[in-house]
Amino acid sequence: MKILVTGCAGFIGMHLTKYLLNQGYNVFGLDNLNNYYEPELKQYRLAQLLPFKNFTFVQIDLVNREEIAKLFKKEKFDRVIHLAAQAGVRYSIEAPFTYIDSNLVGMMTILEGCRNNDVKHLVYASSSSVYGMNDKVPFAESDQVDSPVSLYAATKKANELMAYSYAKLYNIPVTGLRFFTVYGPAGRPDMAPWLFTEAIIKGEPIKVFNHGKMMRDFTYIDDIVEGIFRIQSLIPNQKIPYSLFNIGNSKPIQLSHFIAAIESATGKIANKIMMDMQAGDVERTYADMSKLEKAVNYKPQTEIENGIKKFVDWYKEYKSI
């Protein structure tokens, strides 16, 4: 079994690739190693994969349609897990064309590669951001998602439409996954676990919006990887071979609880600046996981205290604290 994982030097991509390698799969990892955040972290992640004999790394940008087409034609992948994308909601305001290139053109090159080379199953990353300002919780796959509040969310919604059209037109088995808040070792430095941990360790203040009452569906990376692994082997076989799932925890954690877990793991008390809720933010978001649980018996196992401790322990080691 030969699997292509795009974004293999990303947070989720590295952990998933390592899991697949340990399961004995032949994995081709693709990444452009861009500098959206510190390249050293991406090199660190890649270094966790290179020792595996069943791993091959290729550095190609997804907008390079000729090189992507050559790669698909040469390697004849059985399955593709497409995680590469330009991440970050705020950055999409500063650099909109980066999102168009990576998230839309990139998705198109992957879809074309799958169409022309008999890929048995494409699994791709969508995002919980497609739910926008939806105030009905938990968020279900059947909810209306036609009002994105960021360009990033709009590109992810567009990915879902593109994937559906290719599944219908060309009978390509495709599955989309709407990720909720994922955290864990080697996570992104622009996300709350890293930012809060770094500030608390350094004794710097942190801004706590909505006075700590915000609730998010924090999901530990190992649980996410297990879900993706189960999904990639479940090939849609309905009339239109397309499926879409939430993948999260379905146990929303209050921000104050989340910060308390970091305080416990670091042994330090945060200097909190209590803030009102930001305009445009949503007080509570979490996933309805009933569809994924029914499909592959997906049940996240990691409690927030255990997951945060693993992240903090990793952070200290990575930063040599």
Side-chain angles (χ1 to χ4, degrees):
M1 179 74 70
K2 185 185 291 187
I3 298 181
L4 172 66
V5 177
T6 71
C8 69
F11 170 39
I12 298 174
M14 181 274 282
H15 284 278
L16 174 67
T17 300
K18 191 173 183 179
Y19 186 93
L20 291 169
L21 292 168
N22 280 319
Q23 294 292 320
Y25 289 86
N26 292 316
V27 181
F28 272 66
L30 181 151
D31 206 293
N32 67 358
L33 299 176
N34 67 28
N35 61 354
Y36 169 61
Y37 53 80
E38 57 187 68
E40 294 81 8
L41 179 58
K42 295 184 180 182
Q43 292 293 345
Y44 165 86
R45 296 187 188 124
L46 190 58
Q48 314 307 305
L49 307 175
L50 291 174
F52 287 88
K53 293 182 179 179
N54 49 336
F55 177 68
T56 303
F57 175 66
V58 285
Q59 185 174 351
I60 305 175
D61 197 304
L62 287 174
V63 300
N64 191 335
R65 62 183 74 173
E66 291 81 10
E67 288 300 313
I68 295 294
K70 287 179 184 177
L71 180 69
F72 270 85
K73 185 176 182 180
K74 178 184 177 183
E75 299 300 338
K76 301 296 181 185
F77 302 112
D78 297 294
R79 294 173 187 165
V80 175
I81 302 176
H82 177 44
L83 303 176
Q86 178 58 57
V89 172
R90 292 180 180 87
Y91 188 58
S92 67
I93 297 172
E94 302 171 27
F97 284 102
T98 301
Y99 287 75
I100 299 303
D101 290 341
S102 181
N103 299 6
L104 298 186
V105 177
M107 180 67 166
M108 190 65 189
T109 61
I110 293 298
L111 286 169
E112 278 290 285
C114 293
R115 174 172 82 93
N116 293 319
N117 295 279
D118 194 30
V119 170
K120 303 298 187 294
H121 190 194
L122 165 63
V123 178
Y124 72 94
S126 184
S127 167
S128 60
S129 66
V130 301
Y131 289 108
M133 298 297 291
N134 184 11
D135 57 4
K136 167 204 163 272
V137 289
F139 296 164
E141 293 88 347
S142 57
D143 291 346
Q144 187 272 130
V145 290
D146 294 327
S147 303
V149 295
S150 71
L151 179 62
Y152 171 72
T155 63
K156 288 300 183 179
K157 171 61 178 174
N159 286 171
E160 295 180 359
L161 296 173
M162 294 163 72
Y164 179 88
S165 69
Y166 264 63
K168 180 176 174 61
L169 286 169
Y170 306 113
N171 202 40
I172 302 171
V174 185
T175 301
L177 295 173
R178 290 174 175 170
F179 290 100
F180 282 68
T181 309
V182 187
Y183 74 99
R188 280 171 33 205
D190 60 335
M191 299 293 286
W194 184 302
L195 294 172
F196 284 173
T197 297
E198 186 168 71
I200 291 170
I201 287 175
K202 291 181 177 180
E204 297 172 350
I206 61 173
K207 293 180 180 180
V208 183
F209 291 102
N210 198 29
H211 302 269
K213 297 177 183 176
M214 308 285 284
M215 300 192 76
R216 292 294 181 267
D217 205 9
F218 293 101
T219 315
Y220 189 65
I221 184 63
D222 289 358
D223 293 323
I224 289 290
V225 166
E226 178 65 28
I228 300 172
F229 179 74
R230 295 186 185 194
I231 280 296
Q232 61 86 28
S233 60
L234 182 71
I235 300 176
N237 60 5
Q238 54 264 37
K239 185 176 180 181
I240 299 174
Y242 179 81
S243 296
L244 183 64
F245 296 95
N246 287 334
I247 183 163
N249 199 10
S250 202
K251 293 180 181 178
I253 299 296
Q254 196 168 70
L255 182 57
S256 59
H257 182 181
F258 175 75
I259 294 170
I262 298 177
E263 291 176 323
S264 176
T266 59
K268 296 188 176 185
I269 301 300
N271 177 11
K272 308 178 190 72
I273 302 174
M274 294 298 179
M275 310 280 289
D276 292 333
M277 191 158 71
Q278 289 179 299
D281 215 340
V282 180
E283 183 171 357
R284 181 170 59 157
T285 65
Y286 71 101
D288 180 343
M289 292 304 303
S290 56
K291 184 177 178 183
L292 190 59
E293 182 178 348
K294 182 179 180 181
V296 294
N297 194 31
Y298 174 75
K299 295 179 181 179
Q301 302 295 319
T302 310
E303 297 295 333
I304 191 72
E305 288 79 9
N306 293 335
I308 286 296
K309 185 179 186 307
K310 289 178 181 179
F311 170 77
V312 170
D313 288 347
W314 170 84
Y315 176 87
K316 288 179 176 179
E317 182 181 351
Y318 180 72
K319 291 290 187 177
S320 300
I321 295 175

